[in-house]
Amino acid sequence: MFQGSMVALVTPMDQDGNIDELSLRNLIDYHVDNQTDAIVAVGTTGESATLNHDEHCRVIRIAVEQAAGRIPVIAGTGSNSTDEAIEYTNCAKKVGADACLLVTPYYNKPTQEGLYQHYKKIAEAVNIPQLLYNVPGRTACDMLPATVKRLAEINNIIGIKEAVGEITRIRELLELANDHFAIYSGDDATALQLILLGGKGTISVTANVAPQAMHDMCHLALSGNRDEAEAINQNLMSLHQNLFVEANPIPVKWALNKMGLIPEGIRLPLTILSEQYHEIVTQAIQDQHVN
């Protein structure tokens, strides 16, 4: 079972929006050096929505190659088409990903039964560990705990990334956790609280910019060192908040560019961070002593 700080990795691009393979490989080495606990490739932060099928599989393959067993790779393989999600998940398995992360189908608003059948079909089609991902603020689709409970009974569905960020929801999901099924945060601002309540870690945007601090915070929390974990988390709070002043991954890609880790490229319809937010994101980076 995965635990700790799992980075929702950006996909580096040049100014024309082409994938920058060298920067991607260097980023993975950066995370290994800074003790990130797992790489999550081609999720929302990795701009999965604008990568074509070949690019999607290529980024996963590069991540697996560069990680080279030093760090687990979880591949984002979700789609609002069940058949397409199966294709992406098959691709991830073939190139050697350790697990897959599948976002709830977006835009088409399935019922709870539709969600259950969607994930059940993918799990039965591809024998690889799979994580559910619920982020209704982006998908207009909320997978309820009762549906999660049904899916948790499927052997290769091993956990959920929950991004609702509400403690009531977190408590409901934690009642489902066991040695087979884990709860992970998808909301940086409440990740510490989830871990202290019994979650196993977080899939984090902040970890792109402050990987060592996120690793330390998560592992202190997992070991029960609340005070030390809270002190680190307080120091990270400006990043938790200000990396979302515009739609993710706009601010985090801008921050990583200013840190000299990636080019400034991002794909339309996303654009480079608006000038009015430059100072606030710069200050958040400087406050954490990560530049």
Side-chain angles (χ1 to χ4, degrees):
M1 188 175 290
F2 308 100
Q3 64 176 12
S5 174
M6 294 162 277
V7 64
L9 195 70
V10 302
T11 300
M13 298 173 182
D14 64 22
Q15 290 184 340
D16 295 321
N18 300 306
I19 294 169
D20 185 328
E21 180 174 332
L22 179 59
S23 292
L24 176 57
R25 291 183 180 276
N26 288 340
L27 267 188
I28 292 167
D29 288 343
Y30 173 71
H31 282 284
V32 171
D33 291 344
N34 285 276
Q35 296 189 282
T36 292
D37 296 290
I39 299 291
V40 179
V42 206
T44 303
T45 311
E47 293 176 82
S48 57
T50 52
L51 299 186
N52 64 39
H53 186 277
D54 289 344
E55 290 172 326
H56 197 116
C57 293
R58 178 185 167 211
V59 171
I60 298 168
R61 176 182 56 77
I62 293 168
V64 171
E65 287 178 358
Q66 193 64 25
R70 298 174 296 166
I71 184 173
V73 174
I74 301 168
T77 60
S79 173
N80 61 348
S81 160
T82 305
D83 288 343
E84 185 176 56
I86 290 171
E87 290 176 11
Y88 283 139
T89 305
N90 264 317
C91 169
K93 181 180 179 181
K94 287 177 183 176
V95 301
D98 296 282
C100 292
L101 176 71
L102 294 111
V103 70
T104 54
Y106 39 87
Y107 188 77
N108 40 14
K109 295 187 177 181
T111 63
Q112 295 299 306
E113 180 62 24
L115 287 172
Y116 174 75
Q117 295 295 338
H118 170 80
Y119 283 109
K120 180 175 179 285
K121 185 172 182 179
I122 299 166
E124 291 174 346
V126 191
N127 185 22
I128 188 172
Q130 296 176 23
L131 298 169
L132 312 172
Y133 177 20
N134 190 44
V135 56
R138 277 188 176 267
T139 63
C141 173
D142 188 5
M143 183 162 50
L144 300 178
T147 303
V148 177
K149 182 178 181 179
R150 295 176 68 194
L151 290 167
E153 297 173 359
I154 298 172
N155 286 339
N156 59 326
I157 295 180
I158 64 166
I160 181 171
K161 174 186 176 183
E162 177 57 71
V164 169
E166 296 174 357
I167 298 305
T168 300
R169 173 66 63 88
I170 290 169
R171 290 185 186 277
E172 286 186 77
L173 291 172
L174 285 168
E175 292 179 2
L176 309 177
N178 53 42
D179 290 342
H180 162 73
F181 190 83
I183 313 302
Y184 303 99
S185 175
D187 176 63
D188 278 316
T190 58
L192 174 60
Q193 196 167 8
L194 181 144
I195 296 170
L196 290 172
L197 288 170
K200 294 300 182 182
T202 181
I203 296 176
S204 169
V205 174
T206 296
N208 281 280
V209 178
Q212 186 68 60
M214 283 298 296
H215 165 85
D216 292 346
M217 184 272 285
C218 288
H219 281 266
L220 286 165
L222 286 166
S223 62
N225 292 314
R226 176 187 293 268
D227 291 346
E228 292 179 69
E230 287 180 343
I232 294 173
N233 192 57
Q234 186 60 40
N235 202 41
L236 290 168
M237 194 56 69
S238 61
L239 282 175
H240 295 338
Q241 296 170 346
N242 293 326
L243 289 180
F244 296 91
V245 291
E246 288 188 327
N248 180 47
I250 291 173
V252 71
K253 290 195 89 172
W254 188 87
L256 290 171
N257 173 251
K258 295 308 169 187
M259 292 167 64
L261 292 171
I262 64 170
E264 67 176 4
I266 194 166
R267 282 193 181 175
L268 289 170
L270 300 183
T271 52
I272 295 170
L273 184 70
S274 301
E275 187 173 355
Q276 70 191 81
Y277 297 118
H278 288 189
E279 184 176 349
I280 192 171
V281 175
T282 298
Q283 189 61 54
I285 299 169
Q286 292 173 347
D287 287 347
Q288 312 314 313
H289 310 291
V290 294
N291 61 341

